[in-house]
Amino acid sequence: EYMGEHSRQIMAHVTKITDFASSKWVKLQTFTYVDAAGQERSWDVAARTTRSGHSEVDAVDILALVSGGTLKETHTLIVTQFRPPLNRQVVELPAGLIDAGESPETAALRELLEETGYHGEVAQLLTPTCLSPGMTNERTQTVVVKIDLNDPRNHNPIPSQEETENISTHLVPLSRLSASLKELEGKGCEVYSGLQLLAVGLDLKAQLGL
């Protein structure tokens, strides 16, 4: 019975997309679709205007694995920046839009350098994921990047952020990620859901001895 329900859901599909408003970065669209019962319906969607070509991915998140130097264990990089839609500082992974002609890997290394000043090496490219599928078709791809603090380029990292960016970088032990996020929440920050889930996963791994 479960497989039958799943099969019926697969039949649902979008038949038409209509733009009705747009700005430089975002456009509003109405998706006309046929649901699993064969009924035609509509859904309002916020979409990015920056998706290029035939790509189905808008942006990258960078999960940094930092080692070397004086570090005794693997660290990661998290960033804080003011997000106007939430009217507060948000704790996130380094991230950014994919420029036209860029691969996710190239975009990740570029954004990492621009936002944090660190040079890295791509270790893994994860499959694309959705962010808020009830409101937007935005999709991101997480790129795992290794950063070696023994690399001379990483001895004094200097970001090259855009004029509109004011991003602070935090180097934290993976083993203390959850505690670090709670500390920042205590200072009034809000945590990006993907980062929070990463922290919960690491906690569960430690608690369950996996």
Side-chain angles (χ1 to χ4, degrees):
E1 181 180 353
Y2 175 77
M3 289 302 294
E5 287 293 332
H6 182 67
S7 297
R8 286 199 293 274
Q9 290 296 328
I10 294 296
M11 293 173 59
H13 61 282
V14 173
T15 58
K16 184 173 67 172
I17 300 175
T18 304
D19 293 353
F20 64 88
S22 182
S23 66
K24 180 179 179 180
W25 301 105
V26 177
K27 58 186 173 183
L28 300 179
Q29 301 175 312
T30 294
F31 279 40
T32 303
Y33 70 100
V34 176
D35 68 13
Q39 179 71 37
E40 185 174 86
R41 301 183 182 278
S42 62
W43 197 284
D44 291 337
V45 175
R48 287 197 178 276
T49 60
T50 51
R51 185 181 293 184
S52 61
H54 299 289
S55 174
E56 295 186 350
V57 180
D58 299 281
V60 289
D61 293 310
I62 299 108
L63 175 56
L65 302 179
V66 188
S67 59
T70 60
L71 299 183
K72 304 298 183 185
E73 60 179 296
T74 302
H75 283 49
T76 194
L77 297 176
I78 56 177
V79 298
T80 52
Q81 61 180 313
F82 179 73
R83 291 298 195 181
L86 296 176
N87 193 29
R88 67 175 62 192
Q89 294 284 325
V90 177
V91 192
E92 311 171 0
L93 292 170
L97 297 175
I98 300 173
D99 287 344
E102 274 190 322
S103 67
E105 296 94 331
T106 300
L109 295 179
R110 174 182 56 77
E111 287 288 350
L112 178 69
L113 183 61
E114 290 177 0
E115 291 193 358
T116 72
Y118 284 97
H119 294 261
E121 178 181 327
V122 173
Q124 187 178 1
L125 177 66
L126 304 185
T127 56
T129 58
C130 54
L131 292 174
S132 182
M135 190 192 77
T136 178
N137 63 354
E138 182 182 27
R139 303 176 85 212
T140 66
Q141 202 155 4
T142 299
V143 183
V144 181
V145 175
K146 290 184 177 180
I147 296 175
D148 182 6
L149 295 186
N150 294 321
D151 185 333
R153 297 175 299 173
N154 292 325
H155 290 175
N156 182 33
I158 301 175
S160 54
Q161 298 171 12
E162 297 179 10
E163 182 183 0
T164 57
E165 295 178 322
N166 185 13
I167 301 171
S168 298
T169 302
H170 308 263
L171 179 64
V172 301
L174 274 175
S175 63
R176 292 198 71 255
L177 179 59
S178 185
S180 298
L181 296 182
K182 288 178 181 176
E183 290 172 7
L184 289 166
E185 283 181 309
K187 296 177 181 179
C189 295
E190 187 156 328
V191 179
Y192 166 58
S193 61
L195 183 55
Q196 189 174 63
L197 287 173
L198 172 62
V200 169
L202 291 170
D203 288 348
L204 286 175
K205 182 178 184 297
Q207 293 168 13
L208 300 176
L210 299 176

